[in-house]
Amino acid sequence: MSPIKECILNKKTKTKPMWLMRQAGRYLPEFREIRKVNPNFINLCLNENLSTEITLQPIERFQFDAAIIFSDILMLPYGLGQKVEFKKNIGPILSNFNLKDLLKTQENDFNKKLLPIYNAIKKVSKSQIINGKDVIGFVGAPWTLLVYMLNKESPKKNFNNDYLKDDYLINELLKLIDKFLKIHIKNQVDNGATIIQIFDSWAGLVDKNSLSKYIYTPTISLVNFTKSLGVPVICFPRNIDDYKEYVKIVKPDVINIDYITDPKKIINEIDIPIQGGMDPTILLSDKENIKKEALLYLNIFKDHPYIFNLGHGVLPKTEPSNVEFLTKLVKDFS
Ligand code: CP3
């Protein structure tokens, strides 16, 4: 059994399994080489040979316990026919859409558009380099996708939540997103994904009274669906106030915590396997500091099923040698 699966089944593992969010990406020179000659990010995600190669790059370099498929949560709106572009130094920009057109999306057309992603998952899972390790498929959570689709850019700087007053629009979109996320999850599992992670990067924008409508109910639907396929599901609701309540209501197999969450507090509140937590900016500092922070997490979670990861993605300015150092430290800790 893979180290991550053992951990999820609550077994005591000798060492903590490890992978990193955004482990394939701009901090790796071998990724930047490919990216330089592939300026269109969506096309790169849809190039099954290159996305396979990129997915495997960090596994070859660091021998992580899982590969996460090189794709993006915004491939879902792309599959529904909304235009998605990634602008340098700005991030994703989405086009306006006509709800009626989106609602006409046929499953066949969606599958055809995203086929290269599924082919890449198949290639990755059959690769020698994987050799029994986990292949993580992923989706954006319905709320985070709704935010990008309606806001049409990251809500970091500007978030227009007037749309949320349009009940018809919101309900139709949530139904559509739920339907196609399930198709997207099933396609990933059918092609070799052994774990699904649900990213709810903007969960922190939802006020307490709306958690049920935007976060809990839509996520439970996906968690139950993924479990019904026999595949474990990791949830990452970033910046939420109450991880304990989230876990109690949504019941994922693993909860990924962000870096503002106090690991000492969480260990007393949550009894399911935990993933992540360390601030990715720590990897921009020196080895002494990396060691201190990593040991903090490793010691706190020593007797708890814990998958080592960060509290958000690896930052582009990270030195690969620091990731190497961290990997060795985690592997040697027992
Ligand atoms: O290695 C991995 O983790 C797998 C691949 C992956 C990417 N995006 C590749 C990517 C995953 C799991 C994601 C998830 C994702 N995408 C999330 C959820 C996690 C999070 O970061 O909160 C979100 C919100 C997105 C949307 C997105 N994609 C944004 C906001 C951006 C621009 C900001 C940035 O970091 O560049 C992207 C682009 C993106 N997705 C890149 C990568 C490697 C950078 C592309 C480049 O080379 O320019």
Side-chain angles (χ1 to χ4, degrees):
M1 193 185 290
S2 72
I4 294 182
K5 288 276 173 51
E6 273 187 44
C7 177
I8 293 176
L9 290 174
N10 257 319
K11 290 199 181 151
K12 275 252 150 67
T13 48
K14 207 169 136 263
T15 55
K16 301 296 185 192
M18 170 182 185
W19 68 279
L20 301 179
M21 293 187 274
R22 289 285 177 89
Q23 62 191 22
R26 282 170 296 188
Y27 74 106
L28 289 179
E30 57 270 38
F31 171 77
R32 289 198 301 268
E33 278 296 298
I34 295 179
R35 188 74 173 96
K36 211 164 54 193
V37 287
N38 290 276
N40 183 318
F41 180 72
I42 295 274
N43 288 349
L44 184 55
C45 291
L46 293 172
N47 180 325
E48 61 192 67
N49 290 325
L50 287 180
S51 64
T52 300
E53 187 181 333
I54 293 168
T55 301
L56 294 171
Q57 282 173 348
I59 315 299
E60 286 193 87
R61 220 190 229 261
F62 306 114
Q63 289 81 48
F64 289 131
D65 293 303
I68 179 157
I69 218 68
F70 182 78
S71 175
D72 200 89
I73 62 165
L74 300 179
M75 295 312 284
L76 188 103
Y78 170 84
L80 297 175
Q82 188 175 16
K83 287 207 183 72
V84 183
E85 267 183 275
F86 287 85
K87 296 228 166 101
K88 210 173 174 177
N89 304 323
I90 298 178
I93 301 288
L94 291 83
S95 68
N96 289 325
F97 62 83
N98 179 318
L99 181 64
K100 273 207 193 107
D101 293 336
L102 289 204
L103 294 177
K104 280 189 224 141
T105 310
Q106 295 293 313
E107 189 171 336
N108 267 348
D109 295 330
F110 177 89
N111 289 344
K112 231 184 264 162
K113 266 181 118 167
L114 300 193
L115 185 67
I117 301 176
Y118 310 132
N119 287 342
I121 296 179
K122 200 183 279 170
K123 286 190 180 178
V124 167
S125 54
K126 290 195 170 145
S127 148
Q128 287 281 330
I129 298 159
I130 288 299
N131 193 20
K133 291 178 175 185
D134 283 294
V135 177
I136 302 176
F138 66 89
V139 292
W143 163 254
T144 288
L145 291 175
L146 194 71
V147 167
Y148 277 108
M149 289 176 79
L150 294 173
N151 203 53
K152 297 185 257 332
E153 60 175 327
S154 164
K156 203 184 234 161
K157 289 186 200 112
N158 172 3
F159 179 44
N160 177 354
N161 57 11
D162 285 351
Y163 303 107
L164 301 179
K165 295 182 192 128
D166 186 342
D167 280 337
Y168 177 76
L169 173 71
I170 297 302
N171 290 336
E172 289 303 305
L173 270 181
L174 281 176
K175 270 194 282 181
L176 183 76
I177 290 172
D178 178 73
K179 174 180 168 188
F180 281 95
L181 280 180
K182 285 174 179 165
I183 293 169
H184 193 37
I185 289 172
K186 181 155 191 318
N187 288 338
Q188 295 185 66
V189 169
D190 285 348
N191 284 283
T194 58
I195 294 173
I196 293 290
Q197 176 146 332
I198 301 176
F199 288 93
D200 212 346
S201 305
W202 297 107
L205 294 176
V206 178
D207 63 56
K208 215 171 168 2
N209 297 331
S210 305
L211 280 173
S212 181
K213 173 172 179 182
Y214 293 120
I215 307 286
Y216 296 154
T217 307
T219 313
I220 288 168
S221 171
L222 299 179
V223 164
N224 288 343
F225 177 76
T226 309
K227 286 180 177 175
S228 79
L229 302 174
V231 167
V233 55
I234 306 173
C235 286
F236 182 24
R238 192 162 65 90
N239 283 7
I240 52 158
D241 289 332
D242 196 341
Y243 273 99
K244 184 182 175 188
E245 181 182 87
Y246 181 97
V247 164
K248 204 173 105 202
I249 295 176
V250 177
K251 299 188 175 66
D253 293 293
V254 180
I255 184 82
N256 193 111
I257 55 172
D258 56 33
Y259 53 85
I260 53 174
T261 298
D262 179 359
K264 283 200 200 87
K265 181 166 172 266
I266 212 86
I267 187 127
N268 294 317
E269 293 183 345
I270 289 178
D271 53 15
I272 67 164
I274 294 173
Q275 172 175 283
M278 193 174 98
D279 189 335
T281 61
I282 301 292
L283 283 174
L284 305 178
S285 66
D286 55 75
K287 298 207 166 40
E288 221 21 67
N289 197 38
I290 295 171
K291 184 172 175 183
K292 190 179 109 219
E293 277 295 311
L295 285 178
L296 186 119
Y297 281 89
L298 289 166
N299 280 314
I300 290 172
F301 293 114
K302 198 170 180 2
D303 296 316
H304 190 97
Y306 182 65
I307 304 165
F308 196 94
N309 203 322
L310 303 174
H312 204 183
V314 181
L315 294 163
K317 290 209 166 73
T318 305
E319 281 290 338
S321 65
N322 283 351
V323 175
E324 171 105 59
F325 176 79
L326 174 68
T327 313
K328 192 165 178 325
L329 199 108
V330 175
K331 288 237 161 87
D332 290 346
F333 182 90
S334 55

